[in-house]
Amino acid sequence: LSYLQNRKKAVVIQVLFMIGLASTIVMVFIVPNLEELLAFIGRDITLTGRTEIWTAAISIGLDRPWLGHGYRSFWIENVEGFLINAGHGHDSFLDMWLELGFVGLGLFLATFVKSSYKALVYMQSSGNKESMWQIMFMGYLLLYAFVAKVIPDHGTIAWVLYVMIHVYQSMTVTAAKALPVSAPLKLG
């Protein structure tokens, strides 16, 4: 039992180290040179007008910060006459906050962190390389969600895979609880 606790601590330390390393790289190299980097790839500092959309949307969203404006209703209600007809904010987390408020966004982030943690633990405990896809996908989804509406967008493969990770993780936990204590759990 202490071996598993030490292993979980090692996973947490590794994740925190990676987050710290990535944050340091961003703060030291990217933030000070952001305008030049964007100009190099033919973009501007407003991210093709997204920052203007975000600023306007946040000011409206502050009217109902806790429960939001309702699922899939924010852009329908507020776009006309105030914002361009964007359909969404090009940021899944912003859209989720605008639609479901801090409560909905908090619940989603809690499930996302829990699922990511389970994927990390499973990857380390199983020892098979195939299990790495879950954590790689969760990282991809996290990054992609900042520039596109993929969470929760039922029409995307990203959302389907995210749901399937949750289903798979719940099935493996259920299977592990159903086995006798002496029987090893075979996954995959």
Side-chain angles (χ1 to χ4, degrees):
L1 186 62
S2 65
Y3 170 75
L4 292 176
Q5 290 174 340
N6 290 337
R7 193 158 187 130
K8 286 181 182 180
K9 287 179 186 176
V11 168
V12 170
I13 290 171
Q14 289 173 354
V15 168
L16 292 176
F17 175 76
M18 295 302 288
I19 290 171
L21 180 63
S23 299
T24 302
I25 289 170
V26 166
M27 295 305 286
V28 170
F29 297 110
I30 295 177
V31 171
N33 304 308
L34 187 59
E35 284 192 56
E36 293 83 12
L37 290 170
L38 290 172
F40 179 73
I41 60 173
R43 302 289 181 202
D44 65 352
I45 198 73
T46 68
L47 302 174
T48 61
R50 288 180 179 161
T51 57
E52 295 156 0
I53 294 171
W54 295 337
T55 303
I58 289 170
S59 68
I60 296 172
L62 290 173
D63 293 340
R64 300 180 192 171
W66 292 106
L67 297 177
H69 291 263
Y71 183 65
R72 300 246 175 166
S73 65
F74 178 81
W75 294 102
I76 295 169
E77 291 178 4
N78 297 302
V79 170
E80 294 183 31
F82 192 75
L83 299 174
I84 63 169
N85 191 4
H88 57 81
H90 298 280
D91 182 325
S92 293
F93 301 112
L94 174 65
D95 282 348
M96 193 175 299
W97 173 68
L98 292 170
E99 294 174 359
L100 305 174
F102 286 125
V103 173
L105 179 61
L107 288 171
F108 170 76
L109 290 175
T111 62
F112 186 87
V113 168
K114 183 178 179 183
S115 185
S116 298
Y117 176 76
K118 282 182 173 181
L120 274 171
V121 169
Y122 177 68
M123 181 181 68
Q124 282 206 325
S125 65
S126 69
N128 67 24
K129 295 175 186 172
E130 293 82 20
S131 65
M132 198 182 316
W133 82 270
Q134 287 183 29
I135 195 62
M136 289 172 53
F137 177 75
M138 297 299 275
Y140 158 79
L141 189 62
L142 179 67
L143 293 175
Y144 190 49
F146 282 109
V147 296
K149 169 111 173 144
V150 291
I151 305 170
D153 192 356
H154 313 305
T156 64
I157 189 68
W159 180 252
V160 171
L161 289 173
Y162 178 72
V163 170
M164 290 309 300
I165 286 174
H166 284 287
V167 169
Y168 177 77
Q169 288 175 346
S170 67
M171 288 173 51
T172 56
V173 168
T174 304
K177 288 180 181 177
L179 290 175
V181 176
S182 61
L185 175 63
K186 290 189 177 186
L187 300 172

